[in-house]
Amino acid sequence: MRVPLSWLREYVDLPATETGRDVQAKLISAGLEVETVEHLGADLKGPLVVGQVLTIEELEGFKKPIRFCTVDVGQANGTGEPQEIVCGARNFAVGDKVVVVLPGATLPGGFSISARKTYGKTSHGMICSGDELGMGDDGSHGIIVLPPETEVGKDAIELLELVDEVLDIAVTANRGDCLSIRGVARETAIAYGLPLRDPALIDVPGPNAYGYPVKIADPTGCDRFTARTVTGLSAEARSPIWLQRRLQKVGMRPISLAVDVTNYVMMELGQPLHAYDRALVQGTIGVRRAAEGEKIVTLDGVERKLHSEDLVITDDRGPIGLAGVMGGANTEIADHGAAENGGNVTSDVVVEAAHFDQVSIARTARRHKLSSEASRRFERGVDPQAAAAAAQRTVDLLVLLAGGTAEAGVTEISAPTAPHTISVPADHPDRVAGVTYGRETVVRRLQEVGCDVYGQDELIVTVPSWRPDLSDPNDLAEEVIRLEGYENLPSTLPRPSAGRGLTARQRLHRRVGRALAGAGYVEAPNYPFVSEQVFDQLGLAADDPARRVVRLVNPLSDEEPALRTSLLPGLLGALRRNDGRGSHDLALFETGLVFHPRDERRVAANLPVDRRPDADDLAALDAALPDQPRHVAVVLAGAYEQAGWWGKGRPADWADAVEAARLVAREAGAELAPRKGQYGPWHPGRCAELTVTVDGVERVVGHAGELHPRVLKALGLPARACAMELDLDAVARAGHGVPQAPRISTFPVATQDVALVVDEFVPAAEVEAALRDGAGELLESIRLFDVYDNADQLGEGRKSLAYALRFRAADRTLTVDEASAARDAAVALAGERVGAVLRG
C-alpha cells in the first residue's frame, strides 16, 4: 500500500517538521512494515511552469515527426516573450496548456535543461510528459495537457504536487484495514497520540423504496449491497489534477472521471466500488452464484468461463461482473475518448458498494488468475459498515466534479449481524507479555483501535467493524503489546528443566553434518516438494515403494504437489544449478526427513488447547501422520582432489560415495557392509548396496555409486556424477548409540598379508567377512590393498584380492605362531565360504 504523506496529513495533524522517515519509524514501532519511503521530486529543480502553445511549425526532412513550437510562459522566463521549443510529441495542439521546463532547471534523474540546437533550431527548454517528471503513467503516453482554465506562468511543481514523500507499506494478510489511507491514518494517529479526522464520518441518507432495484440470491456471499444513482454527468468533465496525482502516487493510472472517483474512494476508505453505465444495465441488479459454464467478458477484454462457486453480479441478461474482482465489459463506463471516436459518453451511472465473503472472493481471484485492487481488499477483510459512506462519498465527488445530480433513491440491502464481542481478563495482555500494563492501559489501547470496552476485572470488548482479524483474547493482547511497543518487552531467557538437552537423534544428526562438512561436503538444504515425474527421470520401477507419495492439498507449486520420498531429487537439482553456473567440482550433502504414506489413512484429531496434549493424544496424532524417517544423502561431480604441484589430482568416483556412507555409519557407531547392488538411478555395474545388521537381521539401508548415464541425461547432470543415500534412522538403530573411542594398546601389532584367488564374480566384501570371522578376536583390522586380474597367471574368470591383516592382543605380545594360526584360520574359512585359495 503506497501512502502519500500529503494525503495522510489531511486526516492527521502531523507536526510540520515530521518527515516520511519519522512517520516510518513510528509506524514500524506500531507493528506496520513500512518497506521504503520514496522521495518524489527530491532532485527536481525549477523553473517548471504552465505554458500555452501559440504556434506549431512542422519540421520536414527528419526520420520522425518534429515540431517547432512557440509557447507563452508569462513572465517565468524573465522577458515575457514566447519561448521557442522543439518537441516530437503529437498529442497537443495550438491553444493547449502544457508543462514547460525552462533552461537552468533539473528534471528527475539529474537531467539538466539548457538551450541547445537540435533539428536545425534552438530549443529553449522542453515541453514535458508525465514520465519525464517522474509522475508515472497518466494514460496519455505523451505530453501533459492541462485543463484550459489553468493559469499561464503558474508554478507547475506546486500545481502537479511533484514534491512529496510516499510510504510503501507491506500490509499483512490480517490487516486489510491498512489497505486504505483511512486505515493508515488511524494507525498514525494512534502512534502520535493525535485525533483522527475519519473520512468515513459523513452524513448518509437512509435506504428508501426509490433506489435502483437489487436482488441478493446469496446472502452468505454478499451480506451488504448499497446502490446509488447519479445522472447528468458532463461529457466534458475530466478528473482534476489533484485527483489524478493522488491516484498516480498510490500506484494507479487515471482512466476517466467516474472510474477515477471510484478508485479514489477505494484508496481513501478501503471499500472497493464499481460504477455501471446505467444505460447498459438491463433490469434488476442481482448477486448470485454462477451457473457452471456461464461466460463473461471482463474489463480486461478476456472471456472467462465461470465456475459454480464464483459469485457474480447480474442483470436480466446474465453476469455483468465478477463480484469483488472485476466488472464486465458489457456495462463499462465510456469516457470522453468514446465521444471523440463517435461513441456515446456515459452520463448516468449506478454506483455499487458491497461487502462480499472473503473466502469466496479469494477463490474466484485465484481460480481465474485475476488479482485486482478490489479482490486484494476483500480477501483481507473490508469494513462492512463503510459501504454506505463510500457510496455517498462517490456520489458527492461525481456531483462536485462532473456536475451530476444525485437521485433521491437509496438502495441498501444488509443481512442482520450482531457486533463481535470478546470476553478477556483485564490482565491477559500482562500475562502474555510478561509485563504489567494495568487495566487502564489495556482499556485505553483497545479503545484507540476502535473497540468498545466494558467491565472491570473481566472486560467485554466489542470489536470494530474494520478489524475482522480481532477474534480472540490473544488478538486483543497483541494489540495492546504492539501499541505499547515491542521494543519495550524485556529480554528473558527461557529456563529449561535440568537434564533436558538434545535428543540422541538430534546429536547424531549434528555429528553427521559436522563429519561430512569436515570431509569437504557443502550442506545444501532443499524444499521437500517433488514432482512425480522425477521418479521416471530417476529410473525407478513402476512398483517401487518410493513412488508412493503423500500429496498436498494446497501445494506451493502445482508442478511439485507431492512430498519427497528421497533426498536425491532436491540434491541433484542443486548439483545441476551449480554446475550450470560454472561450479563444476561439487560435493553436496543434505540430511532431512522423507515422507512415506501409511497403509491405513487416518484423520488427525484436533488437539486440546486448554492443556498439554497427553501421550494418547500425541500417539493418535503421530499415527495419522506419514512415516517420516531421516535420511542423509551426498552427490559428487568433477574433481574430488584438485591437481597442483602436489600431484595430478583425481575425479570423484563411486568409491567416494561409498566412503561417505562409511563415514556416516562410523558416526552412528554402526558397521556398514557394502555389496554389489542394482537400484533405480545408479549404474548397474557401479552401485553398492549398503546394509547393516539390526537385531540380528541384515537390512538394506541405502545405495551408493555412480549414477546411470540415462539419469544424467534426463536430469541434465555432469558426466560421471555419483550419489549416496542412507536411511539415517535405520543406521542409528544398528549402532551403539554413542561412538566408541578407540582403545590404545601398549602391545605391538602383528601384521600378516594374504593374497587370495577367487572367482571374478565373488564380491570382495564376502571375502573380507569370511576372513574377519575366521581370524577371531585377535583381528584388529583388515584392509584390501590390491586387486589383480591377469588371466594368463590366474586363469580365466579369476581375480586376486590382497588383504593386510592386523592382529593384536589386549593383554600380551602375540607370538609369530599365534598370528600365523589366526591368519591360517581366516584363510581356511574363506576357502570354505567363497572357494578362496592362497595365491602362488
Side-chain angles (χ1 to χ4, degrees):
M1 176 67 191
R2 291 171 56 84
V3 180
L5 190 60
S6 60
W7 199 349
L8 194 63
R9 288 181 182 275
E10 281 200 8
Y11 309 126
V12 183
D13 289 327
L14 295 172
T17 56
E18 287 294 282
T19 66
R21 295 290 184 192
D22 298 329
V23 177
Q24 178 189 32
K26 285 283 190 179
L27 291 179
I28 289 176
S29 178
L32 292 184
E33 185 181 350
V34 184
E35 294 185 324
T36 59
V37 178
E38 183 180 353
H39 298 270
L40 302 181
D43 52 356
L44 177 64
K45 177 185 175 184
L48 187 72
V49 299
V50 175
Q52 184 171 22
V53 180
L54 301 178
T55 65
I56 298 177
E57 177 187 350
E58 301 288 347
L59 301 182
E60 304 294 339
F62 299 103
K63 292 182 179 180
K64 62 179 181 178
I66 299 296
R67 309 165 105 187
F68 181 64
C69 311
T70 59
V71 184
D72 178 13
V73 294
Q75 297 299 318
N77 58 5
T79 65
E81 295 294 324
Q83 200 80 3
E84 296 179 338
I85 298 174
V86 175
C87 182
R90 312 289 296 175
N91 67 313
F92 64 95
V94 172
D96 283 345
K97 303 289 181 65
V98 294
V99 178
V100 178
V101 57
L102 300 177
T106 303
L107 294 182
F111 183 62
S112 298
I113 302 300
S114 61
R116 65 190 184 95
K117 191 168 184 177
T118 179
Y119 298 103
K121 301 285 186 178
T122 300
S123 182
H124 299 272
M126 280 176 52
I127 302 176
C128 297
S129 68
D131 287 337
E132 290 165 340
L133 297 178
M135 295 171 56
D137 183 14
D138 62 357
S140 68
H141 304 292
I143 293 303
I144 302 170
V145 178
L146 300 171
E149 64 273 13
T150 310
E151 178 186 349
V152 172
K154 184 177 179 63
D155 183 0
I157 295 178
E158 179 183 350
L159 174 70
L160 299 177
E161 302 177 14
L162 297 178
V163 178
D164 203 349
E165 293 181 277
V166 179
L167 286 68
D168 195 349
I169 303 175
V171 179
T172 54
N174 65 318
R175 291 303 305 272
D177 61 303
C178 288
L179 285 174
S180 66
I181 305 296
R182 177 196 185 200
V184 176
R186 183 182 294 109
E187 292 295 315
T188 306
I190 295 172
Y192 278 92
L194 297 171
L196 169 70
R197 289 188 292 275
D198 191 341
L201 294 181
I202 57 178
D203 292 332
V204 178
N208 54 49
Y210 310 109
Y212 198 92
V214 175
K215 181 180 180 181
I216 309 296
D218 189 342
T220 302
C222 176
D223 58 6
R224 185 178 294 269
F225 195 107
T226 299
R228 301 290 299 276
T229 303
V230 181
T231 60
L233 300 181
S234 171
E236 303 300 322
R238 307 288 183 271
S239 298
I241 292 174
W242 64 265
L243 192 150
Q244 293 187 46
R245 288 296 296 133
R246 286 192 172 179
L247 289 178
Q248 288 173 331
K249 289 177 185 179
V250 298
M252 302 191 76
R253 180 172 64 87
I255 299 173
S256 65
L257 178 58
V259 176
D260 292 349
V261 166
T262 58
N263 286 336
Y264 176 85
V265 175
M266 175 179 66
M267 303 307 296
E268 181 182 55
L269 302 182
Q271 168 67 54
L273 301 108
H274 190 71
Y276 302 93
D277 188 330
R278 183 175 179 177
L280 300 178
V281 179
Q282 298 181 11
T284 301
I285 292 178
V287 183
R288 61 168 172 83
R289 299 288 172 175
E292 190 68 38
E294 269 189 307
K295 294 181 179 180
I296 183 176
V297 178
T298 45
L299 287 173
D300 56 0
V302 177
E303 182 178 77
R304 303 182 186 276
K305 188 176 180 180
L306 302 178
H307 188 274
S308 58
E309 290 185 3
D310 290 335
L311 199 65
V312 293
I313 310 297
T314 65
D315 64 4
D316 292 350
R317 296 166 296 178
I320 60 173
L322 273 175
V325 180
M326 185 174 286
N330 53 356
T331 57
E332 182 179 5
I333 297 290
D335 62 6
H336 62 275
E340 294 171 358
N341 295 319
N344 295 321
V345 177
T346 299
S347 59
D348 301 341
V349 300
V350 178
V351 177
E352 164 212 311
H355 185 261
F356 300 110
D357 176 60
Q358 290 180 237
V359 175
S360 178
I361 301 305
R363 288 178 176 172
T364 295
R366 283 157 179 74
R367 186 180 299 117
H368 294 283
K369 296 180 174 60
L370 186 61
S371 179
S372 64
E373 292 288 348
S375 67
R376 286 182 62 219
R377 283 160 178 77
F378 280 121
E379 289 172 18
R380 290 162 174 77
V382 169
D383 181 5
Q385 303 296 330
Q392 182 63 45
R393 177 79 165 128
T394 304
V395 168
D396 292 343
L397 286 173
L398 289 175
V399 171
L400 174 67
L401 302 177
T405 302
E407 289 195 351
V410 177
T411 302
E412 187 169 331
I413 300 175
S414 60
T417 56
H420 179 52
T421 60
I422 303 171
S423 178
V424 56
D427 63 347
H428 183 66
D430 300 9
R431 290 186 282 112
V432 170
V435 175
T436 302
Y437 293 122
R439 179 187 177 279
E440 290 186 3
T441 298
V442 170
V443 171
R444 175 172 57 84
R445 288 302 190 184
L446 292 178
Q447 288 176 337
E448 285 177 346
V449 299
C451 297
D452 290 331
V453 185
Y454 303 95
Q456 292 298 319
D457 295 337
E458 189 75 16
L459 302 179
I460 305 300
V461 181
T462 301
V463 175
S465 58
W466 57 82
R467 291 298 302 274
D469 59 305
L470 303 182
S471 58
D472 60 49
N474 287 332
D475 294 331
L476 300 180
E478 182 182 3
E479 291 299 295
V480 175
I481 295 168
R482 75 174 180 89
L483 294 178
E484 284 295 306
Y486 291 119
E487 68 277 9
N488 296 323
L489 293 177
S491 298
T492 56
L493 293 175
R495 297 180 180 179
S497 303
R500 297 281 180 91
L502 298 176
T503 65
R505 189 184 191 214
Q506 291 169 331
R507 288 196 295 272
L508 174 61
H509 177 204
R510 294 193 178 189
R511 287 202 308 273
V512 167
R514 284 194 293 267
L516 288 173
Y521 290 85
V522 176
E523 187 170 16
N526 294 282
Y527 288 117
F529 312 118
V530 296
S531 164
E532 293 179 68
Q533 182 183 1
V534 78
F535 300 132
D536 296 328
Q537 297 171 325
L538 291 176
L540 299 186
D543 59 348
D544 195 300
R547 284 182 175 271
R548 294 184 62 235
V549 296
V550 178
R551 291 181 179 82
L552 299 172
V553 176
N554 56 341
L556 292 180
S557 169
D558 292 337
E559 296 179 357
E560 294 180 330
L563 292 174
R564 66 188 178 192
T565 56
S566 165
L567 300 182
L568 288 184
L571 266 183
L572 293 176
L575 181 73
R576 179 180 62 250
R577 287 190 297 274
N578 283 277
D579 181 71
R581 294 169 183 170
S583 298
H584 303 302
D585 303 324
L586 296 163
L588 310 177
F589 84 93
E590 180 180 7
T591 59
L593 301 180
V594 299
F595 306 84
H596 299 286
R598 299 183 188 272
D599 295 332
E600 180 185 356
R601 295 185 62 182
R602 301 183 182 181
V603 178
N606 292 326
L607 294 179
V609 295
D610 58 339
R611 59 178 174 82
R612 186 186 186 279
D614 57 30
D616 292 338
D617 293 328
L618 296 176
L621 181 62
D622 287 338
L625 295 175
D627 187 26
Q628 303 176 53
R630 183 175 290 279
H631 281 203
V632 57
V634 306
V635 293
L636 304 101
Y640 190 80
E641 295 177 359
Q642 295 289 339
W645 59 265
W646 52 84
K648 294 182 179 180
R650 68 175 182 85
D653 61 18
W654 62 270
D656 297 311
V658 175
E659 182 56 31
R662 294 183 187 275
L663 178 64
V664 172
R666 284 196 294 270
E667 290 298 324
E671 187 69 30
L672 191 73
R675 64 191 183 196
K676 183 178 179 180
Q678 180 174 344
Y679 177 70
W682 281 277
H683 194 298
R686 298 167 188 159
C687 173
E689 188 175 73
L690 308 173
T691 66
V692 296
T693 301
V694 181
D695 298 330
V697 178
E698 189 178 62
R699 176 179 172 184
V700 177
V701 293
H703 295 82
E706 185 177 313
L707 295 174
H708 198 289
R710 285 198 300 267
V711 173
L712 300 179
K713 182 178 180 180
L715 294 175
L717 300 173
R720 309 301 294 270
C722 302
M724 178 278 292
E725 183 165 12
L726 275 178
D727 184 337
L728 187 55
D729 287 346
V731 173
R733 286 193 291 272
H736 308 301
V738 177
Q740 301 296 314
R743 291 182 297 175
I744 308 257
S745 175
T746 58
F747 298 99
V749 66
T751 302
Q752 298 273 353
D753 294 345
V754 295
L756 302 178
V757 179
V758 297
D759 289 335
E760 190 176 44
F761 62 82
V762 175
E766 291 186 14
V767 179
E768 181 180 322
L771 290 173
R772 189 183 299 277
D773 292 343
E777 296 180 354
L778 293 179
L779 182 66
E780 182 179 77
S781 67
I782 181 171
R783 178 175 60 88
L784 175 68
F785 66 87
D786 185 54
V787 179
Y788 183 68
D789 58 358
N790 190 312
D792 294 337
Q793 297 185 21
L794 302 177
E796 193 68 34
R798 305 281 282 174
K799 64 181 178 181
S800 171
L801 303 175
Y803 291 90
L805 308 179
R806 291 169 57 90
F807 298 97
R808 197 194 310 257
D811 57 350
R812 68 188 187 280
T813 300
L814 291 178
T815 66
V816 174
D817 292 340
E818 287 177 310
S820 297
R823 181 203 64 189
D824 293 342
V827 172
L829 187 58
E832 292 178 14
R833 287 189 181 178
V834 297
V837 295
L838 281 172
R839 179 182 167 190

